Amino acid sequence: MSMVDTAVAAGRCAVAVSGALLRDADVMLALTERPGLSALALSGPAQAPVAAVGEPGLAPALQRDGVLVLIEPEGADAVGVEAIVKHLDRAKAKPTIVVVARAWNPFQFPKLSGFKVVHEKGRGKPYVQGLPKGPPASTVGAPDAEVEAAPRAPAPGEPAAPRFAFVGREDDQAALVAFLGEGGPIAVSGARGIGRNWLVEHAIAATSLVRLPDLSLGWGTGFDVLIARLAELCRTAGSPELATALTAGALPPEKIDTVVSTLAKADLAGKVMVVRHLEFGLGREPDFFRRSRLELLLEALLCGSFSLRLVFVSTRQPQFHREGAAVGLRRLEVGGIKGRFYQEIFSAYKAPEFPRDRFGPMHEKLHGHPVAIRVHAIAVRDRPDGLALTEDPRFLKLDSAEDLDAVGKQIQKKLERLSDENRKLLSRLAHCRIPVPGGLLSDLGVSRKARLELLADGLLDMIGTENDKKYRVHELVREHLSWREITDFDVFAGLAEIYGKLAREATDPIEKLALVQETNRCAFGARNKNLAMRPEFPDHDPLLEAAIGMIRSDKPRFDLAGERIAEVLSRDPTNSDGWLLELERLDRSEARPEDVILVLDQALEKAPVPELFQWGAGFWLGRKQRPKAIALLEKAIPLLPRESRLRTRLASLLLRQGRRPEGIAHLEEAMRLDPLLPDSYGLLGQARRDEGALEVAETLLREAVRLAPDDATQCGRLTDLLIARARSAEPTEAASLREEAKTLLDPLIKGERKNAEAHLLLARLVRESGGDLERAAWLLKKAKKLSDRHSERHYRIAYEEVLLDAIAGNLDPAESAAREICARDPAGHRGFSVLGQVLAMREMYVAAHAEFLRAKERVAQDSLEAREYDDALARMQTMIEVQAARLYAGDDLETLPSGPSLAASTRVIRRRKEESAPPVAVEAVEAVEAVEAVEAVEAVEA
C-alpha cells in the first residue's frame, strides 16, 4: 500500500469506484473528506465528489509513475473500465493499475491485459476509508473550484485538433445494441446534429455484426441505388429472385413485392446496413400524393420482416395509418445529452476551465445539442472574452433542439474568418456525401495540418469510432456553403476517378457495387459521362438528378433535359421518376395538352405508381375536366387497390360531382384499409354534413382532428361546422361553439405555420360574433397573401370582403363585387347567398328572395346550408308581404321596417305562450321591425 500512499500524497493517483460501492453512504462520506483525491464512477450516475470517467479525472494517474486504483470492479462496470482503457491507450505515460477486491478474475476485463495490474486483496469500503487525505484540492484542480484559467496552449507536438469525445449515450447505445440483436428494420430519429450517426456507429461497433457499405439517400441516390444494393446482397446470400426481377424489367409494384419476399427468404442474420436521410423518402409534409417508387420501397422495408439488420437514420419517425403495419419496426428517438457531460466536450475542444455550476444554465439554453455544445466550447476557447460567454444567457440560446438558427450564425461567422485555402479544401470535402477515411482526404489534397485546423474550428466532423475514424462535412456546415462551392465539376471528376479505381480493385461484390454507384454519382455531377461505369442493374438516379437541375434552373435547358430523360426511359421504361420528370418538363415548357396526354398514357401503362395517377388527376382538374379526372382515378383503383389516398381523392371528386353514394363507399373502404387515416374521416364527415346528419358528421370530424391535431385541413373542417351551427343555436350554446372554434384556430395562425384557411375562418368567426371588423379585414388580407391566386379559397375571401363592406355601409360597391363574383363562379352557392344578404340590406326583398333561391338550388337538399337558406327565404317572404301590405294601405315606403342586419350573428327566434301574452324575443336584434312585420301581416289577413 506504500506505493498508493506515495502516489496519493504526490497527487499522482486516481480512484475508480464501482457503482455498487458508491451506493454506500459511508464510502461517499469518505470520498467527500478527501477532496484532493480524484474519484471516478465506473457505472451509475456521477455525483459530487465523484466524477464521470474522463481525461480530467484520470489526469493525476496519467503522470509519470501514476497509479490508478480500481475498487471492487464488477460486470456492470465494464463500460467504465472500457472508457478508462481508451484514455490509457492515448496516454504517453501508462499508470500502474491496482485492483482492490476480495477476488480478481483477469479474464473478466480482458482489455486490461496490456497494462501492469496489481491485485490487492481486501474489501473496498475499509480501503477507501484508510486512504490518506491527499494533497490540497487546489493542486489537483477539482471541478468545482473557482478557477479562471487562461486557454491552455497545446504542448509541443500536441495536435490542435480536439480529442475524440463520445459521451452521454450509454443508455441509448445499450438500447440500440439490444435492437441489433434481432433482424428487421430500425428507425433512429432526432434533430439534425443531435448525434444519431455517432450513436449508430458506436452501437454497431459494440456488436459482432458484419458492416455493409452505408447508403445516404438524397442527391443522386434513390430507388435504383437502394434496390440494386438489396438485389446484390440477396444474390450473394443465395436468393437471386430480386436480381432477376430487376434485369427482366418488372413493373414497380412487382419489384417491390419481390423485395419483400426475397429479403424474407435470404439468410442475412449476421449483417447490418445503415441507410441515412430516411426523411428524403418519407414524402413532403403535408404532400399526401408523393408516392413514387422510392416511397413505396421504403414503406415495404419499414413494414417488412427479415433477418438483415437495416438501420434507418432520419430526422423524424415514419408514420403509418394502417393498424399493425409496422409491428416489427423498432424505434429509437435520440434527444440531447445531459448537462453533466458538457465538461468532457469542453475539455475535448481545449476550452478553459470554469466553475461547473455554470453548466446548468448552459444546458437550459443548449438543450443538450452536441453541435451547439461544440460551437459554444470553441467560442469560449477562441474569443478573448470567452469565459464571459459561459454566463451570458443570450449567447447561442436555442428555443429547442430543432431550432438551430443561432448555431448556423456562429458557423457562418467561422466560415467567413476561414482562410481562402482552407475554405476551398472544406468545399472539396463537402462533395463527399458519406463519411470517408483519412486516406481519401489525402487523395483530395487535404494535408494533415489543414485537416487538424478544420477539426479544431468545428467545421470538419470526426465520426466513426476511436479505432475507425472517418470524416465528413456536417450538413449544418454544408448548408452555409454556396451551391457552386459544393458542386464543382473538377472536384467531382477527381472523386469519380478515385472511386472508379477503388471499384476496379474491390473484390467483395457488395463493396464493388457501392463504389461503382458512387463513381457514377460523381461522374454525372462532373457532367462527364465518360467517367461513369456500366453496372449490371439500372442506375439512373444520378442522370435524373442532373436533368432536374436543367429543368428547375433560372435558365432552364429543356432540350438537354429531354435528351437525358429520353435516354433513361429508353433503357428502363418502368422508371416512374423519369416519367414524372418528363411530365414536369412538358408542363414547365408549356407544351401542347395533346403531347402531355400522350406521355401520361404511356407512363401509366409502363410504370403505374400512385403519384402518376395523382399528377394526372391534377392535370385534368387544372383544365376543369372533373369527369376525366374521376375516370383516371377509377382506373387506378383496380391497379393499386391498397392505396387509400387514391380512394379518398376519388371520393372527394365524386362528392363534388353529386355522386355521393359512390364517394361514401370509397371513403368507407379507405377507412377499412387505413383506419388511422384522418382524411377519410374528414371527407366522410363532410358527406354526412351534406346529408343533414350533423351529429354523425361532427363525430367523424372530431375523430379526424384527434388523429391529426396539427392538420389545418381537419381542424378547418370541424371549425367550419362549429361556426355554421352557432348561427342557428341558442345564445349560450352559440357562444360555447364559437369559443371552441377559436381555440382550434388560434394555434394555426401563430408562429411559422400561418395557415391561410385558418385566417379566413377566424375572420368569418370575428364577423359573425360581432367582433372588431378591422381585425377581420386584417385576417382576410393575410389569408389572401398566403393563398394561391387561382385557388377556390380566393372566392370565399372575396365573399367575406363583400360582407364587411356591406356591414360598413358601402352597399353599392358590395353589390357590384357580389354580382361580379357570381358571374365568375356560377356553380357556387355562397356567392348568391352573399348577394342575397346585400340586397336584403338594401331592402330589395324580392331580388334577395331570388338570390337565396338560387343558392339553395346549388346545395344538397338536407344539408345545414339548405336549412339556413330555407330560413332566409321565409324571412324574405315575410318582408315582401309586409311591403305589399304597407303599399296597399298607402303608407310611405320610407317608413317601412328595414331588412335584417348582417352584424347580427344569430337568427331572431320568437315564441308565443298564450294568445294574450306578448311575444318573447331570444335576441333583441330586429325586435322592433319583426313586431311591426307580424302586426302588418295579421292586419292584412284580418
Side-chain angles (χ1 to χ4, degrees), residues 479-498:
E479 68 184 13
H480 292 283
L481 297 170
S482 66
W483 177 251
R484 178 56 61 193
E485 286 179 309
I486 61 176
T487 55
D488 185 81
F489 294 166
D490 294 336
V491 176
F492 271 130
L495 282 172
E497 293 177 355
I498 294 173

Side-chain angles (χ1 to χ4, degrees), residues 43 48 56 145 242 260 312 388 406 471 571 579 585 591 609 612 682 817 857:
S43 63
L242 180 56
V260 177
F312 293 96
Y471 304 90
R571 295 181 182 177
W579 289 110
R585 185 186 73 87
V609 294
L612 277 170
E857 293 172 351

Side-chain angles (χ1 to χ4, degrees), residues 496-685:
E497 293 177 355
I498 294 173
Y499 285 124
K501 180 181 178 181
L502 295 175
R504 286 186 289 269
E505 296 174 354
T507 57
D508 182 73
I510 305 298
E511 183 180 359
K512 184 179 183 65
L513 177 60
L515 291 171
V516 168
Q517 291 173 341
E518 196 66 18
T519 301
N520 293 345
R521 186 187 70 83
C522 295
F524 286 105
R527 302 293 193 269
N528 189 346
K529 296 196 300 182
N530 296 328
L531 297 175
M533 305 176 70
R534 177 64 68 91
E536 180 182 357
F537 306 115
D539 184 19
H540 299 128
D541 293 333
L543 191 58
L544 292 178
E545 192 71 44
I548 290 176
M550 298 177 186
I551 293 175
R552 300 175 184 175
S553 173
D554 295 336
K555 297 180 180 179
R557 291 297 305 271
F558 297 121
D559 52 346
L560 293 179
E563 294 177 2
R564 297 285 180 90
I565 298 172
E567 180 182 351
V568 171
L569 296 178
S570 63
R571 295 181 182 177
D572 184 13
T574 65
N575 192 320
S576 58
D577 298 327
W579 289 110
L580 286 166
L581 198 57
E582 175 65 11
L583 291 171
E584 180 181 351
R585 185 186 73 87
L586 294 174
D587 181 58
R588 288 176 178 266
S589 61
E590 299 181 357
R592 297 183 306 171
E594 298 83 13
D595 298 336
V596 177
I597 295 171
L598 180 62
V599 173
L600 179 61
D601 293 339
Q602 294 178 5
L604 295 176
E605 178 185 356
K606 299 178 181 179
V609 294
E611 189 172 356
L612 277 170
F613 286 100
Q614 300 282 12
W615 194 96
F619 171 80
W620 288 118
L621 291 175
R623 283 153 181 78
K624 303 187 183 301
Q625 296 286 338
R626 189 183 299 162
K628 292 187 177 181
I630 292 175
L632 181 64
L633 293 175
E634 288 177 338
K635 178 182 176 182
I637 297 301
L639 295 175
L640 302 167
R642 293 178 294 180
E643 291 295 324
S644 56
R645 290 291 186 190
L646 293 174
R647 293 183 180 273
T648 55
R649 193 175 193 189
L650 174 60
S652 67
L653 298 179
L654 291 174
L655 293 176
R656 296 179 186 178
Q657 197 71 4
R659 298 163 59 179
R660 189 182 307 142
E662 299 177 52
I664 292 177
H666 281 293
L667 290 176
E668 292 175 346
E669 179 63 18
M671 293 171 62
R672 186 189 68 81
L673 290 173
D674 291 335
L676 302 179
L677 181 65
D679 205 45
S680 57
Y681 290 91
L683 288 171
L684 188 58

Side-chain angles (χ1 to χ4, degrees), residues 416-449:
E416 292 174 355
R417 292 192 294 267
L418 200 63
S419 65
D420 293 341
E421 181 63 26
N422 282 354
R423 187 180 181 102
K424 290 179 181 179
L425 295 177
L426 183 68
S427 301
R428 193 176 302 170
L429 297 177
H431 289 70
C432 303
R433 300 305 173 100
I434 58 176
V436 296
L440 186 60
L441 302 186
S442 300
D443 295 337
L444 291 174
V446 181
S447 64
R448 183 177 183 274
K449 178 182 177 182

Side-chain angles (χ1 to χ4, degrees), residues 359-381:
F359 285 122
M362 192 182 298
H363 179 69
E364 295 179 358
K365 67 178 183 179
L366 298 182
H367 303 280
H369 195 282
V371 174
I373 299 171
R374 180 176 74 187
V375 171
H376 200 296
I378 294 173
V380 171
R381 181 197 67 194

